[in-house]
Amino acid sequence: MFTKETYVSRRNRLKKQVGSGLIVLLGNEQSSMNYKDNWYHFRQDSTFLYFFGIDRAGLVAVIDVEANAEVIFGEELTPDDIVWMGPQKSIREQASEIGVGLTKPLATLDSYFQHALAKKREIHFLPPYRPENLLKLSSWLQTAPASIKSMASVPLIKAVVAQRSIKTPEEVAEIEKGINTTVEMQIAAATLARAGMTEAELAGQLQSIAIKGGGNLAFPTILTVNGQILHNHYSPTVLQEGQLVLVDCGAASATHYSGDLTRTFPVSSSFSAKQKEMYAVMMTAYEQAVAMLKPGVKYKDVHLQACTQLAEGLKHLGLMKGDAQEAVAQGAHALFFPCGLGHMLGLDTHDMEDLGEEYVGYAEDQTKSTQFGLKSLRLARALEPGFVLTVEPGLYFNPDLIELWSAEKVHADFINYEQVAGYKDFGGIRIEEDFLITPEGSRVLGNPLPRNMEEFRQFAR
Amino acid sequence: MFTKETYVSRRNRLKKQVGSGLIVLLGNEQSSMNYKDNWYHFRQDSTFLYFFGIDRAGLVAVIDVEANAEVIFGEELTPDDIVWMGPQKSIREQASEIGVGLTKPLATLDSYFQHALAKKREIHFLPPYRPENLLKLSSWLQTAPASIKSMASVPLIKAVVAQRSIKTPEEVAEIEKGINTTVEMQIAAATLARAGMTEAELAGQLQSIAIKGGGNLAFPTILTVNGQILHNHYSPTVLQEGQLVLVDCGAASATHYSGDLTRTFPVSSSFSAKQKEMYAVMMTAYEQAVAMLKPGVKYKDVHLQACTQLAEGLKHLGLMKGDAQEAVAQGAHALFFPCGLGHMLGLDTHDMEDLGEEYVGYAEDQTKSTQFGLKSLRLARALEPGFVLTVEPGLYFNPDLIELWSAEKVHADFINYEQVAGYKDFGGIRIEEDFLITPEGSRVLGNPLPRNMEEFRQFAR
């Protein structure tokens, strides 16, 4: 929780920027696993947290810009609820703590919106990503569910993105709490990993550290000996000597700000020669990318520079050939790096992802590429002080993709498929750190964590 | 996964019992946390698992009873998905493994249902507990979302409940896997608990054991020094000497069968005299309840007997007075035990809860009480061989409830409020074990776990 003044001033700026109409921000509800009352851990909506800070299920906030009025709608607990949930703060009390004087029962929302529709008020809302909120909007606005997303308010999206993109020092401090717990998770991974244990066992240990940290996982842990599969989470697969473990994990702080760090380390205490040289190629690209981070630089250029450096390195190893810059322009490097270099980080790990990449990651004069690889770049715009973002180059040897491209001789001018064939079982490596863009350049966030995991592994044993 | 024959015979029995029409069983989708692609761990629908066994998001199964035809609708992965998800079994392959020969794209479902509606086919579906499935049914059946639940098929509900209520030996073996991991969680809780650590830290450790076990938590862990609040999960509260820790947790097996065990133990290595005598009262009620378990006995009677025994014990301690049986008939004991004695256990922890308690827990000639306490009894019907259920008596001292009742002199003929005042800070205790009803009586499931946690704590240290 931040101060009352922080929330009040965020909302005032929002009202000013949106200018008119009703702003409707929906909190999240509990999410059911296998029956209604069996819940996943509660996660409040990030934009709701940003403007209202109340970490409680089932709330809806409405800001009437013209009337300069703010209401939080929700159901207060009944005396019966005491038995099951114990004494809790009332919604009225929680609203008052963040500067909202008026609360009303949820049941009054229907007539509230009927009234607003009758008066032809503008109703601003964000694109819903949870079906229950889609259903609610559909009912209030008397519009089919399928049409709701297209009615989301662009002025509201832009106003929210403008504020949430620039992190205040208080927010950076919260992000660093998330990162510091993530550092502990990474240290535990490197310390506890042993041949014979399963990915799931190690991943469970990391989650326990995230929970101990006061939050929970910010996203499902990727912990795998098959790092070439980008969104492989974890499985009952047993770790074996000689394999690499890729760990991409993040804890959320108690206030739900996210850390996001990746390390790749050998199950054995040392890299093989082949692993070592590949790691070095990745690290050079990483260092070059980090050196470029400063206000005004387009993140797309940082991405392309990292890709070019990866291609140069692969050329040096004999896996690629020809001009590296041209190879990247044509997308040949994407066989080994089919994704983007990084993304905004904040209350969400992919910060504000559902508000639309065209608003969050791209400037108005930038269009997203359709090229394989580059189309997955989430952040392209010029950097500004206060941005927090990740830098996460990697090298992935996906045997299915290699076979596919090899059979069709895709980008054969730039790829030595004969050499690449010898890397089909290499797996995947990635490194990831989180950065704040400062007026002068950038600052890596959180407590230090060794980037050379071989040294670290030997030390830990 | 069970054998193909098991799934085929379950579906054949279902078809026979429902008799006619289309049976539509919806699998679950991924659930979004704070943006669409950031998911909670996937949990398939239990009834879908029971009849189709495929643990994959986004599937819909339709059984045409008259045509004796079964189709699984879903989207096969695209080549692009390989990059993010790696090679996966096709839906066609998975369907074939459980005896379903036909799969179709999801996009064809709309016209499938239009066709069925045009032909006025009966369409049987279960009440949806996830909003995305409600939305789908609403769209297919061209009916407002608010009307869908009331259209759920009672014949289908009854047919599903009839099968899922009686666990086969293979299912019991799976439940015991879940319970055995839960036993490990309980042992860890009692071994690791120390004054100075937070509830959250200990709860995180238990979750890591559930994940290591190959499944995950079957339900959010209740781990609290405020056990008097029935659904208190865990918090940053620090454990202190003299307090009792109540741990109610359950791991799911890899096939999603649930364990569910509760223990209450002292943070210090020994109970206080007051805690010890209260624990003894609870254990006597527990033993009496367990002794009654056998086919033909109504679980409501087991519940009432346990309540009566709790009231007797509290009378002995001077907290209650008058005739214990009469006190229970009037509901006076519910100040200390405001819930039911147990519930069915299986693929769901509260097995089949969303199919409706009137079908799962109550016989047709039994109506649910509206009395505080008794109205929360989930299982009342006569026991049958193959039922798996929990027995979980407890004693709860909820200071808010005590004040409320005391001020209004509720059941003052049966409660010594002066004495009770001295227990306002006692907290809550509970014990819970899982039982299979056998032809002769019952069998406690899973590896043994000491019920006297004081002895266990002293041994563990």
Side-chain angles (χ1 to χ4, degrees), chain A residues 6 18 100 105 187-188 233 279 432 440 461:
Chain A
T6 299
V18 173
V100 172
I187 291 173
H233 294 297
Y279 200 90
E432 177 181 24
E440 301 75 31
R461 282 174 168 225

Side-chain angles (χ1 to χ4, degrees), chain B residues 63-95:
Chain B
I63 302 175
D64 185 329
V65 179
E66 282 86 348
N68 194 23
E70 299 169 331
V71 192
I72 291 178
F73 293 84
E75 279 331 306
E76 296 286 6
L77 292 184
T78 66
D80 247 36
D81 292 328
I82 293 175
V83 174
W84 304 93
M85 305 177 61
Q88 308 266 334
K89 274 188 191 173
S90 68
I91 299 171
R92 182 171 299 265
E93 200 175 346
Q94 290 182 298

Side-chain angles (χ1 to χ4, degrees), chain A residues 128-190:
Chain A
Y129 53 88
R130 287 204 182 184
E132 65 271 26
N133 284 342
L134 179 67
L135 271 166
K136 282 184 230 167
L137 287 164
S138 163
S139 155
W140 296 332
L141 305 179
Q142 300 167 16
T143 302
S147 307
I148 289 294
K149 270 210 173 165
S150 65
M151 292 166 62
S153 163
V154 173
L156 178 60
I157 290 173
K158 286 185 172 172
V160 170
V161 170
Q163 282 199 58
R164 285 183 54 191
S165 294
I166 309 297
K167 272 70 178 175
T168 62
E170 292 76 20
E171 286 186 281
V172 173
E174 288 299 310
I175 294 173
E176 290 201 279
K177 286 183 198 164
I179 295 172
N180 288 344
T181 305
T182 310
V183 166
E184 287 179 47
M185 292 163 74
Q186 288 284 355
I187 291 173

